[in-house]
Amino acid sequence: MTAQISRRTLLKVAGTTAGAVGIGAGAAAAPASAAGGAFAHPGLLHTTADLRRMAAQVKAGARPHTAGFARLTANRHSGSDWRANPQSVVTRGAGGPQNYGILYNDVHAAYQNGLRYHVSGDTAHADTAVAILNAWSAKLTAVEGGADRFLAAGLYGYQIANAAELVRDHDGFERDRFQEMLTGVFARLSEDFLRHHNGAVITNYWTNWDLCAMACVLATGVFCDDRARVERAVDYFQHGEGLGAVRKAIPVVHDDGLGEWLEAGRDQGHALLGVGLMGTFCEMAWNQGIDLYGYDDDRFLKGAQYVAKWTMGGKVAYTANTRAKGAVDGWSGSETASEAAAVDPNMTRPIWAMIANHYTRRRGLDAPYLTRVAARSAPEGGGGDYGPNSGGYDQLGFGTLAFTRDRATPAEAAAPPSAPGGTADMGSGSGTGSSAKRGGTSGSSGTSPSSSPSSSSSSAGAQGGRGADLAATGLSDLPAWTAVGGVAALAGGLLLLRRRDRSGGPSEE
């Protein structure tokens, strides 16, 4: 596999030559092309091959798929009797009564019913998913509130796109109207955030803020067959100025081959959120033929291994990091994280199966910490299984069912991902070192990220710059991070999670 190719080649979605080598059914079967050959559909978190694999394994009674499916059917959101409660305006954060819980519950119900339909074949679940999505696209006009509105747009934007992708061709689905909502309500805010960061200095917002916005833009681009959006999202992952870009989120690779996760100096819950979001971003890109899992010599693998070891209670190195904060041309300050925060080894989120299966099954690499943490977390549930507040709904989940796969043959593992037209052009040279490193990851010194500005554009003007409202968020959701572990608070995990006085500056999510 080549070490690098140009971004132009990496991002070529259509027009590639036919007949290149695919991954194969045991690893990552080439996704079916969308009409016109632009993008693969379904092709966000799940391809046609993925969905057929789930159904076949459950029908055959195979484990652990049956255990994963049992988690899905036990979740109240997956029932075909779910009824949507659409709102015209969703609010998260300051600025009015917060009703965003209504949205994320309905989004997870749509996703779970869509997934359950593909596994069971029961069309009642598809009809329910369609009804939920149609109800929201007919009514929702805006996501508002404080800085948290950007979190709502990003998180629920990428999630609702994934739910819709599961039923995009089902009878009665109002796809055009849904696309208008996705682009005009969700992606508009996410693109604005990546461009303006709510009027804040670029490092004011932690990694997960960028990542949820990036996931929304990428998911919107794929669902709407919008090549420019996909390119902007991928470019930001590789070269963005904010902390969600891969070399900012994982600023140092230590000699032991583990990549330091920036938010490990903050707290465990938000570090898990960030790893889950980056994994989601990489998986959605992979299913369109773009290998970001392997980008920059498997940098994400090294970061995910670091967090897996740390979250299980292992000792990890941490380089002191000072972050500039505040508003552009306004209040400013800084904050330093000097060591990895304390952890609760019992805390978990449904993020590991997807990442572990990619690196160990698709790519045939050794990832011992990922393997262990994924086994400890299985079978993974979904929204509603990890606490009652929004933190328990930040991932769609059910990875044991969705991502458990057979180990690829050596030839399959060495092959690039298949692009939508049945080709391997897009992901063939994204800086992956996967095929050369069977048996483990190698260490390398941290490098400075590119200073290239993101090319993200916004369909609206700057949405923020409200002084103390830069990031007055997050504290109300802290119990959701600790609920699974059964602890009241993380002993050292609140190092950087504290609300500042409104007159002194913002707090941060």
Side-chain angles (χ1 to χ4, degrees):
M1 193 173 295
T2 57
Q4 281 289 355
I5 59 172
S6 69
R7 249 184 300 161
R8 180 185 300 273
T9 302
L10 174 68
L11 294 170
K12 187 162 73 170
V13 177
T16 50
T17 5
V21 178
I23 294 287
S33 296
F39 288 91
H41 296 296
L44 288 175
L45 285 175
H46 314 301
T47 66
T48 298
D50 293 332
L51 295 166
R52 288 175 177 169
R53 180 185 66 246
M54 295 178 222
Q57 296 286 8
V58 169
K59 183 178 181 180
R63 292 186 63 87
H65 303 83
T66 51
F69 187 59
R71 293 297 304 268
L72 175 62
T73 58
N75 193 302
R76 69 185 183 90
H77 296 81
S78 76
S80 60
D81 58 348
W82 189 277
R83 295 295 176 263
N85 183 18
Q87 308 291 303
S88 59
V89 177
V90 166
T91 302
R92 177 169 176 169
Q98 298 190 70
N99 63 350
Y100 65 101
I102 297 172
L103 173 60
Y104 65 65
N105 275 281
D106 276 1
V107 168
H108 281 257
Y111 172 77
Q112 292 181 26
N113 271 277
L115 192 60
R116 192 167 171 179
Y117 156 66
H118 281 282
V119 177
S120 70
D122 185 348
T123 58
H125 292 288
D127 293 341
T128 297
V130 166
I132 296 168
L133 297 168
N134 284 349
W136 278 94
S137 68
K139 190 165 185 178
L140 183 66
T141 61
V143 173
E144 297 179 354
D148 289 46
R149 69 194 183 280
F150 295 111
L151 293 173
L155 290 167
Y156 314 136
Y158 95 76
Q159 291 174 358
I160 203 169
N162 270 276
E165 186 77 352
L166 292 173
V167 293
R168 63 179 293 126
D169 297 318
H170 194 70
D171 289 347
F173 178 51
E174 298 286 351
R175 190 197 301 175
D176 290 345
R177 191 175 71 200
F178 182 87
Q179 288 179 330
E180 291 175 2
M181 177 188 69
L182 192 60
T183 57
V185 176
F186 294 101
R188 180 183 66 85
L189 275 174
S190 291
E191 290 182 306
D192 186 88
F193 181 81
L194 293 176
R195 185 173 184 181
H196 300 292
H197 285 84
N198 197 28
V201 297
I202 196 70
T203 57
N204 183 78
Y205 290 96
W206 284 99
T207 296
N208 63 82
W209 288 76
D210 273 1
L211 284 172
C212 69
M214 292 157 59
C216 178
V217 174
L218 178 63
T220 300
V222 172
F223 187 85
C224 298
D225 294 307
D226 186 336
R227 187 174 300 111
R229 276 197 168 96
V230 171
E231 291 179 0
R232 290 198 295 270
V234 171
D235 183 73
Y236 200 97
F237 176 92
Q238 297 172 327
H239 307 289
E241 288 294 310
L243 298 181
V246 66
R247 292 178 186 172
K248 303 288 182 63
I250 309 167
V252 178
V253 176
H254 295 286
D255 290 340
D256 61 1
L258 300 182
E260 181 177 303
W261 190 265
L262 181 67
E263 284 195 279
R266 183 188 181 191
D267 64 72
Q268 184 183 9
H270 289 98
L272 291 175
L273 169 60
V275 171
L277 287 169
M278 188 171 285
T280 293
F281 190 88
C282 290
E283 184 70 17
M284 293 190 298
W286 175 273
N287 286 331
Q288 297 302 327
I290 309 169
D291 185 8
L292 299 180
Y293 276 118
Y295 181 75
D296 196 22
D297 196 30
D298 295 319
R299 198 175 191 93
F300 177 51
L301 168 60
K302 297 166 185 175
Q305 281 265 89
Y306 176 101
V307 174
K309 178 182 180 181
W310 167 68
T311 202
M312 290 188 294
K315 184 176 178 59
V316 293
Y318 191 85
T319 307
N321 179 276
T322 299
R323 198 170 51 90
K325 300 171 57 180
V328 175
D329 299 324
W331 176 87
S332 63
S334 64
E335 194 162 39
T336 299
S338 57
E339 61 183 355
V343 300
D344 171 12
N346 294 317
M347 181 185 290
T348 189
R349 282 292 178 272
I351 63 175
W352 298 114
M354 176 176 62
I355 303 168
N357 271 277
H358 173 81
Y359 286 115
T360 66
R361 297 287 178 166
R362 275 189 184 137
R363 285 316 201 192
L365 301 178
D366 284 345
Y369 300 116
L370 283 172
T371 301
R372 285 173 54 199
V373 77
R376 287 176 51 167
S377 302
E380 290 179 351
D385 293 327
Y386 296 87
N389 299 325
S390 64
Y393 292 81
D394 285 341
Q395 287 87 30
L396 290 168
F398 303 105
T400 304
L401 168 66
F403 302 109
T404 300
R405 61 185 74 247
D406 293 335
R407 183 177 292 274
T409 66
E412 290 168 342
S418 297
T423 71
D425 184 77
M426 286 185 65
S428 61
S430 53
T432 170
S434 299
S435 61
K437 299 198 310 305
R438 313 269 177 252
T441 57
S442 59
S444 61
S445 60
T447 55
S448 299
S450 167
S451 58
S452 303
S454 169
S455 59
S456 296
S457 61
S458 175
S459 58
Q463 297 291 320
R466 298 183 182 178
D469 178 50
L470 284 181
T473 67
L475 295 182
S476 63
D477 287 339
L478 184 61
W481 293 119
T482 61
V484 172
V487 293
L490 302 178
L494 304 184
L495 175 65
L496 301 182
L497 183 64
R498 61 178 184 268
R499 184 176 298 278
R500 292 184 175 272
D501 184 88
R502 292 256 177 194
S503 61
S507 65
E508 50 283 329
E509 170 73 7

